[in-house]
Amino acid sequence: MDGKSIAWPTAWTRASLELTVLALVCSHGPTHGYDVAQRLLDAGLGEVKGGTLYPVLGRLEEQGLVGSHWTAGDGGPGRKVIEATTAGRHALATRRAQWEEWAGRVAAVLRDGTGERA
Amino acid sequence: MTERRYVEKDYLKELSYRLARRGLALDKIGDILAEVETHVAVTGEPAREAFGPPAEYARNWERRLRVRRRVTVCVLVLSAGFGWAISVGISGVIDGKPTLGLGAWWWLGIGLVLLGLAALAAALRPHAWHTAARGREQRREVLVAAGASLIFVVGFVSVIGGALMVGRGDPVVGLGHWWLIVPGLALVVAAASIVPLARVLDPRSGKPFFCTRLGFVLTVAVLTVLVTVAFLGVGLALR
């Protein structure tokens, strides 16, 4: 199944976006907003528009999980460079463990309706 | 190409207005506008397509609006109290009668205290007087803001005093009501034209994105005219 052509339910994207964006910034930072959008698309999570992505990055910045600064552009407008902070990397480790636990429980319920994990 | 640039500028202007209405700090607004410009320049995607209509995009940035609304309501109530106390004080100076057992000068004093509290509450708002200007320029802007506030208060009191005189017909210090209302309005507009609010700076260059001062001047002028008309109505009703 090609992830790029799948229209995932908006609610799923919304629920996972903050965590996936943080993970991509941690793995590929320093980076730019549009680079994160491209990586989400390449990962098969669908096209995330700037109108959705930048406020998520803004929230992560407000929480102190990513930092940013502007650099001069080559003949074009300057670019905003974003990078994970130490707090961001710690938060990612914690949230990733929680997400895996959550996803496992959801999968168990979907599999046999009992919620008992395999 | 030229047309495209103009379209984007309109988008940025509307977005700036919508974000400011939602109470975002001016430096944050500058950051958001710069992000939109960079994204459009790098991806070639039109702003409306990538970010949606400005009003919708601004909604995505909404933060702690309830807190800001409470502060705004507080500023408005204190400002209204200031207007009322000053009006009662001026009225007392004109006819020499106390109101609610307090003399004119008490009311004028209460008005000034309320004005101070309103200014304090306004300063506590996260984005108030925040110009993103730095160093010497920031000090200059604070001085200009203080001067503009003083001119505004003198003009505002003059307008309200003149409007209240309509119902009494007595001149104050030998001047008729229009001699207070018209210069008062001129002072209010002058104050609005020099106050350094609504400057959204581009974080990349440090220069303003565009001048929104005219809109601010017009807003203050229209509000002052409305307040004047309201007080004129009160003055005529008392006649």
Side-chain angles (χ1 to χ4, degrees):
Chain A
M1 207 160 46
D2 176 14
K4 289 183 189 179
S5 60
I6 299 174
W8 299 109
T10 312
W12 295 5
T13 309
R14 200 174 292 154
S16 60
L17 194 57
E18 201 168 297
L19 190 56
T20 47
V21 167
L22 179 60
L24 287 172
V25 174
C26 283
S27 306
H28 302 283
T31 184
H32 307 288
Y34 39 85
D35 181 55
V36 172
Q38 188 58 49
R39 287 185 188 280
L40 285 168
L41 185 63
D42 292 344
L45 295 176
E47 186 183 15
V48 178
K49 291 286 187 184
T52 305
L53 178 66
Y54 288 102
V56 168
L57 285 167
R59 278 201 292 277
L60 290 172
E61 203 170 344
E62 265 183 19
Q63 294 167 39
L65 304 182
V66 304
S68 73
H69 63 273
W70 286 91
T71 57
D74 297 329
R79 297 181 177 199
K80 190 176 186 180
V81 179
I82 44 179
E83 200 171 359
T85 61
T86 309
R89 293 181 190 283
H90 287 312
L92 176 64
T94 308
R95 292 181 193 184
R96 183 163 44 205
Q98 286 175 327
W99 180 270
E100 282 167 359
E101 174 74 18
W102 165 255
R105 287 173 191 266
V106 171
V109 169
L110 293 179
R111 192 173 48 248
D112 55 22
T114 63
E116 289 171 14
R117 303 180 73 183
Chain B
M1 189 68 191
T2 308
E3 190 190 354
R4 166 78 178 277
R5 200 159 55 233
Y6 278 121
V7 171
E8 297 300 346
K9 208 73 180 174
D10 284 349
Y11 183 91
L12 291 180
K13 275 193 173 183
E14 195 186 338
L15 179 59
S16 161
Y17 166 72
R18 299 282 179 180
L19 292 167
R21 273 191 59 184
R22 292 187 172 272
L24 266 79
L26 293 181
D27 58 341
K28 186 66 191 168
I29 295 175
D31 210 51
I32 293 169
L33 299 186
E35 261 177 357
V36 170
E37 265 196 349
T38 302
H39 184 92
V40 169
V42 171
T43 64
E45 201 178 4
R48 255 169 224 284
E49 208 173 289
F51 296 91
E56 195 180 296
Y57 186 41
R59 260 200 301 278
N60 288 348
W61 282 101
E62 194 163 354
R63 287 283 170 279
R64 305 184 194 98
L65 214 54
R66 281 186 191 169
V67 175
R68 274 195 294 271
R69 275 190 188 137
R70 276 201 290 273
V71 177
T72 304
V73 168
C74 192
V75 171
L76 287 175
V77 168
L78 287 169
S79 301
F82 153 72
W84 170 251
I86 291 289
S87 307
V88 169
I90 291 172
S91 172
V93 169
I94 292 170
D95 59 18
K97 292 177 186 168
T99 304
L100 299 174
L102 291 177
W105 295 107
W106 274 104
W107 283 108
L108 291 175
I110 290 170
L112 287 178
V113 169
L114 290 174
L115 177 66
L117 290 174
L120 185 67
L124 291 175
R125 297 176 77 194
H127 63 294
W129 304 105
H130 191 111
T131 61
R134 289 173 182 81
R136 192 184 300 169
E137 194 188 349
Q138 191 172 35
R139 283 197 294 277
R140 189 184 68 82
E141 295 210 350
V142 168
L143 283 175
V144 173
S149 304
L150 190 65
I151 295 171
F152 180 82
V153 169
V154 172
F156 193 68
V157 169
S158 175
V159 168
I160 291 176
L164 282 174
M165 278 172 59
V166 173
R168 298 166 186 274
D170 304 325
V172 174
V173 284
L175 296 174
H177 58 272
W178 289 113
W179 284 101
L180 287 173
I181 292 175
V182 175
L185 275 176
L187 285 177
V188 167
V189 173
S193 68
I194 60 171
V195 76
L197 281 175
R199 278 187 61 190
V200 177
L201 298 185
D202 187 336
R204 299 162 298 185
S205 63
K207 294 175 184 167
F209 261 106
F210 29 70
C211 182
T212 53
R213 188 170 286 169
L214 183 62
F216 179 68
V217 172
L218 289 174
T219 307
V220 171
V222 168
L223 284 176
T224 307
V225 168
L226 288 175
V227 169
T228 308
V229 169
F231 275 92
L232 275 172
V234 172
L236 287 172
L238 289 172
R239 182 172 265 179

Short mmCIF file of all heavy atoms in Angstrom, two decimals, chain B residues 24-54:
data_model
loop_
_atom_site.label_atom_id
_atom_site.label_comp_id
_atom_site.label_asym_id
_atom_site.label_seq_id
_atom_site.Cartn_x
_atom_site.Cartn_y
_atom_site.Cartn_z
N LEU B 24 -2.18 37.86 19.37
CA LEU B 24 -0.81 37.33 19.34
C LEU B 24 0.19 38.48 19.46
O LEU B 24 -0.07 39.59 19.00
CB LEU B 24 -0.56 36.57 18.04
CG LEU B 24 -0.80 35.06 18.15
CD1 LEU B 24 -2.28 34.76 18.06
CD2 LEU B 24 -0.05 34.32 17.08
N ALA B 25 1.33 38.20 20.07
CA ALA B 25 2.38 39.22 20.21
C ALA B 25 2.86 39.65 18.83
O ALA B 25 2.89 38.84 17.90
CB ALA B 25 3.55 38.64 21.02
N LEU B 26 3.25 40.92 18.72
CA LEU B 26 3.63 41.44 17.40
C LEU B 26 4.86 40.73 16.84
O LEU B 26 4.97 40.52 15.64
CB LEU B 26 3.88 42.95 17.49
CG LEU B 26 2.63 43.80 17.78
CD1 LEU B 26 2.98 45.27 17.82
CD2 LEU B 26 1.55 43.56 16.74
N ASP B 27 5.81 40.34 17.73
CA ASP B 27 6.99 39.65 17.20
C ASP B 27 6.62 38.27 16.70
O ASP B 27 7.18 37.77 15.72
CB ASP B 27 8.12 39.59 18.23
CG ASP B 27 7.71 38.90 19.52
OD1 ASP B 27 6.50 38.79 19.77
OD2 ASP B 27 8.60 38.49 20.28
N LYS B 28 5.61 37.64 17.35
CA LYS B 28 5.15 36.33 16.89
C LYS B 28 4.45 36.48 15.53
O LYS B 28 4.62 35.63 14.64
CB LYS B 28 4.18 35.73 17.92
CG LYS B 28 3.74 34.32 17.62
CD LYS B 28 4.89 33.36 17.71
CE LYS B 28 4.55 31.99 17.15
NZ LYS B 28 5.73 31.15 16.99
N ILE B 29 3.69 37.56 15.38
CA ILE B 29 3.01 37.80 14.10
C ILE B 29 4.05 37.96 13.00
O ILE B 29 3.92 37.39 11.91
CB ILE B 29 2.10 39.05 14.19
CG1 ILE B 29 0.97 38.79 15.18
CG2 ILE B 29 1.52 39.41 12.82
CD1 ILE B 29 0.08 39.99 15.42
N GLY B 30 5.11 38.73 13.29
CA GLY B 30 6.17 38.92 12.30
C GLY B 30 6.79 37.59 11.90
O GLY B 30 7.06 37.34 10.73
N ASP B 31 6.98 36.72 12.89
CA ASP B 31 7.55 35.40 12.65
C ASP B 31 6.65 34.57 11.73
O ASP B 31 7.12 33.93 10.78
CB ASP B 31 7.69 34.70 14.01
CG ASP B 31 8.84 33.73 14.05
OD1 ASP B 31 9.95 34.14 13.68
OD2 ASP B 31 8.63 32.57 14.43
N ILE B 32 5.34 34.63 12.01
CA ILE B 32 4.39 33.84 11.22
C ILE B 32 4.34 34.35 9.77
O ILE B 32 4.34 33.56 8.82
CB ILE B 32 2.98 33.89 11.87
CG1 ILE B 32 3.01 33.16 13.23
CG2 ILE B 32 1.93 33.27 10.96
CD1 ILE B 32 1.77 33.37 14.07
N LEU B 33 4.33 35.67 9.60
CA LEU B 33 4.29 36.24 8.24
C LEU B 33 5.54 35.85 7.46
O LEU B 33 5.48 35.50 6.28
CB LEU B 33 4.18 37.77 8.30
CG LEU B 33 2.94 38.37 8.98
CD1 LEU B 33 2.93 39.87 8.82
CD2 LEU B 33 1.66 37.78 8.44
N ALA B 34 6.70 35.92 8.14
CA ALA B 34 7.95 35.56 7.47
C ALA B 34 7.95 34.09 7.06
O ALA B 34 8.43 33.73 5.99
CB ALA B 34 9.13 35.86 8.40
N GLU B 35 7.38 33.25 7.94
CA GLU B 35 7.29 31.81 7.62
C GLU B 35 6.46 31.58 6.37
O GLU B 35 6.81 30.77 5.51
CB GLU B 35 6.65 31.07 8.79
CG GLU B 35 7.63 30.38 9.70
CD GLU B 35 6.95 29.72 10.89
OE1 GLU B 35 5.71 29.83 11.04
OE2 GLU B 35 7.66 29.11 11.67
N VAL B 36 5.34 32.31 6.28
CA VAL B 36 4.46 32.17 5.11
C VAL B 36 5.23 32.58 3.85
O VAL B 36 5.23 31.87 2.84
CB VAL B 36 3.19 33.03 5.28
CG1 VAL B 36 2.39 33.08 3.98
CG2 VAL B 36 2.32 32.47 6.39
N GLU B 37 5.91 33.73 3.92
CA GLU B 37 6.65 34.23 2.75
C GLU B 37 7.73 33.23 2.32
O GLU B 37 7.88 32.94 1.14
CB GLU B 37 7.31 35.57 3.08
CG GLU B 37 6.46 36.75 2.67
CD GLU B 37 7.26 38.04 2.64
OE1 GLU B 37 8.40 38.08 3.13
OE2 GLU B 37 6.72 39.02 2.14
N THR B 38 8.46 32.71 3.31
CA THR B 38 9.54 31.77 2.98
C THR B 38 8.98 30.49 2.38
O THR B 38 9.49 29.97 1.39
CB THR B 38 10.35 31.43 4.26
OG1 THR B 38 10.85 32.64 4.80
CG2 THR B 38 11.50 30.52 3.96
N HIS B 39 7.89 29.99 3.00
CA HIS B 39 7.30 28.74 2.51
C HIS B 39 6.85 28.90 1.05
O HIS B 39 7.11 28.03 0.22
CB HIS B 39 6.10 28.37 3.39
CG HIS B 39 5.48 27.05 3.03
ND1 HIS B 39 5.85 25.87 3.63
CD2 HIS B 39 4.52 26.73 2.12
CE1 HIS B 39 5.15 24.88 3.10
NE2 HIS B 39 4.32 25.38 2.18
N VAL B 40 6.21 30.03 0.76
CA VAL B 40 5.72 30.28 -0.60
C VAL B 40 6.90 30.40 -1.56
O VAL B 40 6.86 29.85 -2.67
CB VAL B 40 4.84 31.56 -0.62
CG1 VAL B 40 4.55 32.00 -2.04
CG2 VAL B 40 3.53 31.30 0.13
N ALA B 41 7.96 31.10 -1.12
CA ALA B 41 9.12 31.29 -2.00
C ALA B 41 9.83 29.97 -2.29
O ALA B 41 10.28 29.73 -3.40
CB ALA B 41 10.10 32.27 -1.35
N VAL B 42 9.91 29.10 -1.28
CA VAL B 42 10.65 27.85 -1.45
C VAL B 42 9.83 26.80 -2.20
O VAL B 42 10.35 26.12 -3.10
CB VAL B 42 11.09 27.29 -0.07
CG1 VAL B 42 11.67 25.90 -0.20
CG2 VAL B 42 12.11 28.22 0.57
N THR B 43 8.56 26.68 -1.85
CA THR B 43 7.74 25.61 -2.46
C THR B 43 7.03 26.06 -3.73
O THR B 43 6.61 25.23 -4.52
CB THR B 43 6.67 25.12 -1.45
OG1 THR B 43 5.79 26.22 -1.18
CG2 THR B 43 7.30 24.63 -0.16
N GLY B 44 6.84 27.37 -3.89
CA GLY B 44 6.09 27.87 -5.05
C GLY B 44 4.60 27.69 -4.90
O GLY B 44 3.83 28.00 -5.81
N GLU B 45 4.19 27.18 -3.76
CA GLU B 45 2.76 26.93 -3.52
C GLU B 45 2.09 28.26 -3.12
O GLU B 45 2.61 28.96 -2.25
CB GLU B 45 2.65 25.93 -2.36
CG GLU B 45 1.34 25.20 -2.29
CD GLU B 45 1.34 24.19 -1.13
OE1 GLU B 45 2.33 24.14 -0.37
OE2 GLU B 45 0.33 23.48 -0.99
N PRO B 46 0.97 28.63 -3.75
CA PRO B 46 0.32 29.88 -3.35
C PRO B 46 -0.09 29.85 -1.87
O PRO B 46 -0.47 28.79 -1.35
CB PRO B 46 -0.93 29.94 -4.24
CG PRO B 46 -0.64 29.02 -5.37
CD PRO B 46 0.26 27.95 -4.83
N ALA B 47 -0.01 30.99 -1.22
CA ALA B 47 -0.26 31.05 0.23
C ALA B 47 -1.65 30.53 0.59
O ALA B 47 -1.81 29.80 1.56
CB ALA B 47 -0.10 32.48 0.71
N ARG B 48 -2.65 30.89 -0.21
CA ARG B 48 -4.01 30.47 0.11
C ARG B 48 -4.16 28.96 0.04
O ARG B 48 -4.93 28.36 0.79
CB ARG B 48 -5.01 31.13 -0.85
CG ARG B 48 -5.77 32.24 -0.21
CD ARG B 48 -6.57 33.06 -1.17
NE ARG B 48 -6.41 34.47 -0.89
CZ ARG B 48 -7.01 35.09 0.12
NH1 ARG B 48 -7.82 34.44 0.92
NH2 ARG B 48 -6.79 36.37 0.34
N GLU B 49 -3.41 28.35 -0.86
CA GLU B 49 -3.49 26.89 -1.02
C GLU B 49 -2.76 26.19 0.14
O GLU B 49 -3.25 25.20 0.68
CB GLU B 49 -2.83 26.52 -2.34
CG GLU B 49 -3.38 25.25 -2.95
CD GLU B 49 -2.80 25.05 -4.33
OE1 GLU B 49 -3.19 25.81 -5.25
OE2 GLU B 49 -1.97 24.15 -4.48
N ALA B 50 -1.60 26.73 0.51
CA ALA B 50 -0.79 26.08 1.55
C ALA B 50 -1.33 26.33 2.95
O ALA B 50 -1.26 25.46 3.82
CB ALA B 50 0.65 26.57 1.46
N PHE B 51 -1.85 27.52 3.18
CA PHE B 51 -2.22 27.91 4.55
C PHE B 51 -3.73 28.12 4.74
O PHE B 51 -4.18 28.29 5.86
CB PHE B 51 -1.48 29.20 4.95
CG PHE B 51 0.01 29.02 5.00
CD1 PHE B 51 0.79 29.25 3.88
CD2 PHE B 51 0.62 28.56 6.15
CE1 PHE B 51 2.16 29.06 3.92
CE2 PHE B 51 1.99 28.37 6.21
CZ PHE B 51 2.76 28.61 5.08
N GLY B 52 -4.48 28.11 3.63
CA GLY B 52 -5.92 28.35 3.75
C GLY B 52 -6.19 29.84 3.87
O GLY B 52 -5.26 30.65 3.88
N PRO B 53 -7.47 30.23 3.98
CA PRO B 53 -7.81 31.65 4.13
C PRO B 53 -7.17 32.21 5.40
O PRO B 53 -7.03 31.48 6.39
CB PRO B 53 -9.35 31.63 4.26
CG PRO B 53 -9.78 30.32 3.72
CD PRO B 53 -8.66 29.36 3.97
N PRO B 54 -6.76 33.49 5.39
CA PRO B 54 -6.08 34.08 6.55
C PRO B 54 -6.84 33.89 7.87
O PRO B 54 -6.23 33.58 8.90
CB PRO B 54 -5.98 35.57 6.19
CG PRO B 54 -5.97 35.58 4.71
CD PRO B 54 -6.84 34.46 4.27
#
